[in-house]
Structure formats: C-alpha cells, structure tokens
C-alpha cells in the first residue's frame, strides 16, 4: 500500500509542540533530495525543529502543503505494484517521496504548482505517476486547470535536446525529463543554477578580497549605493515595493505567468516571512542623485545556522539601464555578505537562459553554471489524456 499524509504549510503549524518523528523523517527526505538535485544540503534548515518553524510563516497570498508519500516499515520496492494512493492521517512510517502543492490566491489563479520526488530505490514502481494522479484530483477540486512543475534537468545540444520557447535546451532522454514529456507536460522555461566559484575555491576571506578588487569605479558610478539587512528603512519602503513590482514585471518567466503587484504592506510581508523562515536578507540599492528615488536593487538570502546563501532578484529601472548598475549592485551586495562575521561559504544564483546581460555580469563575478532547473506546464486534460494512453506503465519514473 502507498499512503499519503497531508502536511500543511502556514500558520496552522503548531511550532511550539515537540517535533514528532515525521518531521525528522521529512527533514531527512528533503536533505536527500537537495543533495541529489543540487549538492547543497545546507539550503535546508539545519535541524528538523528549525525546518518545522520555517513551515509556519507564509504570506497570506500563498498556500501550500506537502503530501508525504510513505509505505509501512519493511516494505520493499518490489512489493509495490500498480500503486494507488490512500490518504491517511496515520503517522508516516517509511517515507518514499513527496508531492508538494503550492498555489497563489492573488495571481495565476488557474495554476497549481506541483513538486514531485521519489527516492532512488523506489523509482520505476509507478509512485510518481500515482502522486501525479492524486495532484490532478486536487487541481480539479480547486478549479485550477493548469499544472506547473519545476524540476532539475541536464543542459544539452544536438539530436537528443529539446528547446524551451524562451531559450535554452535540455537532454530529452534523462529520466525526469522523459517522465514529464510522457505525461503531457511541455517545456516552457530553462534556468541555470550557478555558483560563485572563487568563494568555494578560496573561501570567504579571499573571495572578499577579490570582489573588493573588482569594485573599481563602483564608488563613483554616479549613483549612491546603499545596503541594509532585513526590512528597508521606512523612507525607502515605497520605493522597495515599486522595485519588487518592476522586477516581477520584467524578469524572464514561463509564458502565461501573471505578474505580481506590490504595495508597501505586501513587500514588507514578503520580506518578513522570508526572515521568519530562517533567512537573513541583505539588500543593495542604487539611489538616483537627481530625484533621491531608488532605481535598482539586488538581494541575497542567507540561511541562518548554515553557510549557504542564494543571490535572488536583481533589477534596474529601464530608464537607468546600460550604466553597469547591475554590476555595481551585485558587487556591493557581495561585499556586504562576505564582510559578515558569519559569511557564506557557498552562494548560488539562478539565471534564465535568455538573460544574456545577467549571464555576462555573473560570469565576470566568477559564477559558473552547475545544473539546469526547468519549468514544465500542462493542462490537466492533456495529462489525463497521456495517462489514459498508458504513460506511467513501466515508463521512466524519476520523481
């Protein structure tokens, strides 16, 4: 039997209660997934208790929960044939995967975001397909006809490659990609995960020296560069909300995606929930000397209790592009992060394949690509048609 335990995310989680065993099991499962997909286990909260606390703070316009896929202790992979999911409130025993559902309540109202993962030894038993069928039932109940899924992939060129409409290509023969294509999904977007190579090779102190050496004319770039941690100063809050909206409007994204609009309260809520989920957030911004308005920013998230960090948004107002502001902002942000008493030892960023200018900047700073992360989309009816035709009956099942 294959069981599913619904673990909600959000304020309904009682973080004051003791950590039940399933939180330890989920922490181990997510650690295993991160090591396999990215090699960066420190992107996870360091303990099960920390992870549980990070599940509670979610913005009011997002909803999510994990479907923990489990079997009874002692079950062998060969014991699972043609699995059907049974939703159970029993405490999970042996976790074999998860099906995470995530959705917005103020944009992309037709879309359900889905994450699938099956541990290696239980793959090719139909578990991923069973989880997908269950997710389709949820999307039907919620009235969301589109399913979107992000997953790792292998960059490629040549006869086995498939290209995304926005740029970039991946190997069509890898198991995860074969799984998605066989079940009606279409490739819509490719990003590359890139890591700051000098940081991993030389350590934080030497990397800081090298980044400072790159600063050059940044101190006299014609804009005032400012940095802060956490929430912005009150006098900058409206500018920050406007920049968040600008980033959402201009960033490369899968076709058909709605763009979120921010006001001061919504921007503060998002920053606050990120901090509550266990991150320190560092900003660098550029102030226009003529108007005193902020016209560009970049931000970094550092997982507390670890040495892992992620370079997030970078955006410059269209009227101020072409002046190397993105470069200056990233340099200022890196210097702020590497000057901390507890600097990161690993820094990852995600770059859309079509974003040539950002690729050039990040390459000059020392970021080097590691793996692809792709977006798959499908209409529910297309997935159902593919499943009805036999997809999942002995085919690639990587999730």
């Amino acid at each position: 039997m294959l069981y599913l335990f619904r673990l909600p995310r959000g304020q309904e989680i009682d973080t004051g209660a003791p950590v039940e065993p399933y939180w330890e099991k989920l922490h181990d499962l997510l650690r295993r997934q991160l090591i396999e997909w990215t090699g960066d286990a420190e992107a996870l909260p360091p303990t099960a208790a920390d992870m549980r606390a990070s599940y509670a703070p979610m913005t009011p316009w997002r909803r999510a929960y994990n479907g923990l896929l489990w079997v009874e202790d002692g079950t062998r992979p060969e014991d699972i044939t043609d699995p059907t999911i049974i939703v159970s409130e029993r405490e999970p025993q042996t976790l074999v995967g998860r099906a995470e559902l995530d959705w917005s309540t103020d944009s992309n109202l037709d879309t359900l975001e889905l994450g699938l993962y099956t541990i290696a030894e239980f793959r090719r038993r139909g578990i991923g397909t069973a989880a997908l069928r269950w997710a389709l039932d949820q999307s039907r109940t919620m009235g969301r006809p589109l399913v979107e899924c992000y997953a790792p992939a292998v960059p490629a060129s040549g006869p086995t490659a498939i290209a995304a409409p926005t740029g970039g290509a991946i190997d069509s023969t890898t198991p995860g990609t074969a799984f998605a294509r066989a079940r009606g999904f279409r490739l819509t977007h490719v990003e590359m995960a890139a890591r700051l190579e000098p940081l991993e090779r030389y350590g934080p102190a030497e990397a800081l020296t090298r980044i400072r050496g790159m600063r050059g004319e940044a101190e006299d770039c014609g804009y005032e560069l400012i940095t802060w941690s956490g929430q912005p100063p009150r006098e900058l809050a409206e500018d920050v909300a406007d920049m968040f909206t600008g980033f959402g409007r201009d960033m490369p994204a899968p076709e058909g995606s709605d763009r979120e609009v921010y006001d001061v309260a919504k921007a503060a809520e998002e920053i606050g929930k990120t901090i509550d989920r266990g991150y320190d957030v560092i900003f660098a911004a550029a102030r226009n000397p003529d108007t005193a308005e902020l016209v560009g920013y970049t931000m970094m998230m550092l997982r507390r209790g670890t040495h892992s960090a992620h370079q997030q948004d970078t955006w410059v107002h269209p009227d101020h592009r072409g002046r190397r502001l993105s470069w200056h902002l990233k340099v200022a942000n890196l210097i702020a992060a590497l000057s901390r008493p507890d600097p990161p030892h690993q820094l990852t960023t995600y770059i859309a394949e079509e974003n040539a200018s950002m690729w050039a900047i990040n390459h000059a700073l020392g970021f080097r690509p590691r793996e692809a992360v792709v977006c798959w989309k499908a209409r529910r009816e297309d997935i159902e048609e593919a499943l009805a035709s036999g997809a999942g009956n002995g085919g690639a099942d990587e999730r």
Side-chain angles (χ1 to χ4, degrees), residues 62-310:
R62 298 294 301 185
R63 296 288 185 273
Y65 64 84
N66 261 311
L68 306 185
L69 303 170
W70 63 277
V71 296
E72 293 179 347
D73 291 343
T75 301
R76 301 167 302 173
E78 57 266 30
D79 296 332
I80 299 177
T81 58
D82 192 23
T84 299
I85 287 177
I86 299 173
V87 177
S88 172
E89 296 305 313
R90 293 168 54 195
E91 181 180 300
Q93 295 184 28
T94 298
L95 293 188
V96 297
R98 68 189 188 105
E100 183 178 27
L101 305 185
D102 196 316
W103 63 96
S104 172
T105 59
D106 77 345
S107 63
N108 296 299
L109 300 180
D110 58 353
T111 301
L112 179 64
E113 298 174 31
L114 170 64
L116 293 177
Y117 177 71
T118 305
I119 63 175
E121 56 266 37
F122 277 85
R123 290 176 191 158
R124 302 185 69 82
R125 312 304 304 182
I127 292 175
T129 299
L132 178 59
R133 292 183 188 276
W134 171 79
L136 292 180
D137 289 340
Q138 310 311 303
S139 73
R140 186 179 299 105
T141 299
M142 297 167 65
R144 292 175 178 254
L146 298 179
V147 179
E148 179 178 283
C149 185
Y150 281 86
V154 176
S157 59
T160 66
I162 56 171
T166 54
I170 61 172
D171 185 353
S172 63
T173 66
T174 58
T177 297
F179 175 94
R181 297 183 74 204
R183 288 152 183 83
F185 286 90
R186 57 190 175 85
L187 179 64
T188 63
H189 189 64
V190 177
E191 293 188 358
M192 291 295 296
R195 298 224 186 114
L196 186 61
E197 189 175 72
L199 178 58
E200 295 185 1
R201 179 179 295 183
Y202 304 112
E206 177 62 22
L208 175 60
T209 298
R210 290 169 178 264
I211 294 296
R212 280 178 170 157
M214 297 178 182
R215 182 166 46 185
E217 70 274 18
E219 294 180 336
D220 188 27
C221 65
Y223 296 80
E224 180 187 0
L225 301 180
I226 58 177
T227 60
W228 71 86
S229 298
Q231 296 287 0
R234 183 177 302 177
E235 67 273 13
L236 301 180
E238 188 170 346
D239 284 355
V240 169
D242 290 342
M243 291 192 300
F244 277 15
T245 298
F247 173 79
R249 180 190 64 236
D250 297 342
M251 72 174 181
E255 58 179 312
S257 299
D258 293 340
R259 307 301 183 136
E260 292 196 49
V261 176
Y262 288 83
D263 57 18
V264 170
K266 185 173 181 178
E269 181 88 25
E270 183 152 305
I271 296 169
K273 295 303 183 185
T274 301
I275 294 169
D276 292 343
R277 287 197 297 271
Y279 291 97
D280 291 334
V281 185
I282 300 177
F283 288 86
R287 194 199 306 268
N288 182 352
D290 298 326
T291 64
E293 294 176 328
L294 299 185
V295 297
Y297 79 103
T298 190
M299 62 177 286
M300 189 184 301
M301 294 165 44
L302 300 93
R303 171 68 76 182
R304 289 196 295 274
T306 76
H307 292 101
S308 176
H310 285 79

Side-chain angles (χ1 to χ4, degrees), residues 37 151-156 169-170 190-193 350 353 370-374:
W37 282 14
V154 176
I170 61 172
V190 177
E191 293 188 358
M192 291 295 296
Y350 292 88
E353 278 290 289
R370 294 294 181 90
E371 62 270 335
V373 178
V374 302

